[in-house]
Amino acid sequence: MLEYLPFLEVTGFLKLEKAIFYCVLFTPRELLKKNLRKLQFILTTADPLEIVFDNKELIESAIIKIEKIQSIEEKANLYRQIGTWFRQMLKYEDALHLLQEID
Protein backbone atom coordinates (compact mmCIF):
# COMPACT_ATOMS: atom_id res chain seq x y z
CA MET A 1 0.00 0.00 0.00
CA LEU A 2 1.36 3.42 -0.94
CA GLU A 3 1.57 6.05 1.71
CA TYR A 4 0.66 9.65 1.08
CA LEU A 5 3.81 11.74 0.86
CA PRO A 6 3.76 15.47 1.61
CA PHE A 7 5.77 16.25 -1.52
CA LEU A 8 5.90 15.56 -5.23
CA GLU A 9 8.85 14.31 -7.20
CA VAL A 10 9.24 15.94 -10.60
CA THR A 11 12.00 14.91 -12.99
CA GLY A 12 13.23 16.95 -15.91
CA PHE A 13 15.94 15.95 -18.35
CA LEU A 14 17.92 17.13 -21.33
CA LYS A 15 19.09 14.71 -23.99
CA LEU A 16 22.51 15.93 -25.03
CA GLU A 17 24.86 14.72 -27.74
CA LYS A 18 26.94 12.49 -25.44
CA ALA A 19 24.91 12.36 -22.23
CA ILE A 20 21.56 12.87 -20.55
CA PHE A 21 21.24 15.49 -17.81
CA TYR A 22 18.65 14.68 -15.15
CA CYS A 23 17.37 17.11 -12.57
CA VAL A 24 14.97 15.95 -9.86
CA LEU A 25 12.78 18.31 -7.89
CA PHE A 26 11.15 17.37 -4.59
CA THR A 27 8.54 19.94 -3.72
CA PRO A 28 5.57 20.36 -1.42
CA ARG A 29 2.34 20.28 -3.40
CA GLU A 30 1.48 23.86 -2.52
CA LEU A 31 4.80 25.12 -3.99
CA LEU A 32 4.70 23.07 -7.19
CA LYS A 33 4.01 25.96 -9.56
CA LYS A 34 6.76 28.14 -8.10
CA ASN A 35 9.34 25.35 -7.91
CA LEU A 36 8.47 24.00 -11.35
CA ARG A 37 9.51 27.36 -12.81
CA LYS A 38 12.85 26.95 -11.02
CA LEU A 39 13.31 23.49 -12.52
CA GLN A 40 12.46 24.83 -15.97
CA PHE A 41 14.99 27.64 -15.49
CA ILE A 42 17.72 25.15 -14.58
CA LEU A 43 16.94 23.01 -17.62
CA THR A 44 16.85 25.94 -20.04
CA THR A 45 20.07 27.50 -18.75
CA ALA A 46 22.10 24.30 -18.36
CA ASP A 47 25.24 24.53 -20.46
CA PRO A 48 26.85 21.21 -21.36
CA LEU A 49 30.61 21.05 -21.37
CA GLU A 50 33.25 18.40 -21.68
CA ILE A 51 36.16 18.31 -19.27
CA VAL A 52 39.44 17.42 -20.91
CA PHE A 53 42.31 16.31 -18.69
CA ASP A 54 45.97 16.64 -19.60
CA ASN A 55 47.89 14.75 -16.94
CA LYS A 56 51.03 14.06 -19.00
CA GLU A 57 53.35 16.07 -16.74
CA LEU A 58 51.89 14.51 -13.59
CA ILE A 59 52.36 11.03 -15.02
CA GLU A 60 55.93 11.70 -16.15
CA SER A 61 56.97 13.07 -12.76
CA ALA A 62 55.27 10.18 -10.95
CA ILE A 63 57.09 7.60 -13.07
CA ILE A 64 60.41 9.26 -12.24
CA LYS A 65 59.45 9.31 -8.56
CA ILE A 66 58.53 5.60 -8.58
CA GLU A 67 62.11 4.64 -9.47
CA LYS A 68 63.34 6.26 -6.24
CA ILE A 69 60.69 4.78 -3.92
CA GLN A 70 61.61 1.72 -1.84
CA SER A 71 58.24 1.03 -0.18
CA ILE A 72 56.06 -1.39 -2.13
CA GLU A 73 52.95 0.21 -0.63
CA GLU A 74 53.99 3.70 -1.78
CA LYS A 75 54.77 2.37 -5.27
CA ALA A 76 51.38 0.65 -5.47
CA ASN A 77 49.59 3.84 -4.43
CA LEU A 78 51.49 5.85 -7.01
CA TYR A 79 50.75 3.31 -9.76
CA ARG A 80 47.06 3.48 -8.76
CA GLN A 81 47.18 7.27 -9.03
CA ILE A 82 48.86 7.07 -12.45
CA GLY A 83 46.07 4.72 -13.56
CA THR A 84 43.50 7.26 -12.40
CA TRP A 85 45.24 10.00 -14.38
CA PHE A 86 45.28 7.82 -17.50
CA ARG A 87 41.56 7.05 -17.06
CA GLN A 88 40.77 10.77 -16.73
CA MET A 89 42.50 11.29 -20.07
CA LEU A 90 40.59 8.28 -21.55
CA LYS A 91 43.92 6.56 -22.29
CA TYR A 92 42.98 3.06 -21.22
CA GLU A 93 45.56 1.35 -23.44
CA ASP A 94 48.37 3.40 -21.87
CA ALA A 95 47.17 2.44 -18.41
CA LEU A 96 47.11 -1.23 -19.39
CA HIS A 97 50.57 -0.99 -20.95
CA LEU A 98 51.96 0.54 -17.74
CA LEU A 99 50.45 -2.26 -15.66
CA GLN A 100 52.00 -4.88 -17.92
CA GLU A 101 55.45 -3.30 -17.44
CA ILE A 102 55.28 -3.47 -13.63
CA ASP A 103 57.70 -6.07 -12.22
Side-chain angles (χ1 to χ4, degrees), residues 27-90:
T27 182
R29 293 174 187 276
E30 59 272 9
L31 296 177
L32 176 63
K33 189 174 180 180
K34 175 183 173 184
N35 289 334
L36 197 54
R37 284 195 312 266
K38 292 177 183 179
L39 177 63
Q40 289 171 332
F41 176 77
I42 290 170
L43 291 170
T44 58
T45 59
D47 191 15
L49 61 98
E50 184 174 342
I51 299 173
V52 178
F53 291 94
D54 183 4
N55 298 324
K56 292 176 194 168
E57 291 180 21
L58 288 170
I59 292 169
E60 289 170 4
S61 66
I63 290 173
I64 291 168
K65 185 178 179 182
I66 283 176
E67 296 171 5
K68 300 173 185 172
I69 295 175
Q70 298 297 319
S71 167
I72 294 173
E73 186 176 325
E74 286 182 47
K75 281 186 179 186
N77 283 330
L78 201 47
Y79 275 119
R80 181 196 50 77
Q81 181 60 61
I82 292 170
T84 299
W85 290 329
F86 274 128
R87 281 196 320 273
Q88 287 174 343
M89 295 174 16
L90 307 177

Side-chain angles (χ1 to χ4, degrees), residues 6-18:
F7 60 86
L8 297 171
E9 177 181 346
V10 182
T11 303
F13 71 95
L14 295 174
K15 185 175 179 188
L16 306 169
E17 189 175 319
K18 294 183 179 181

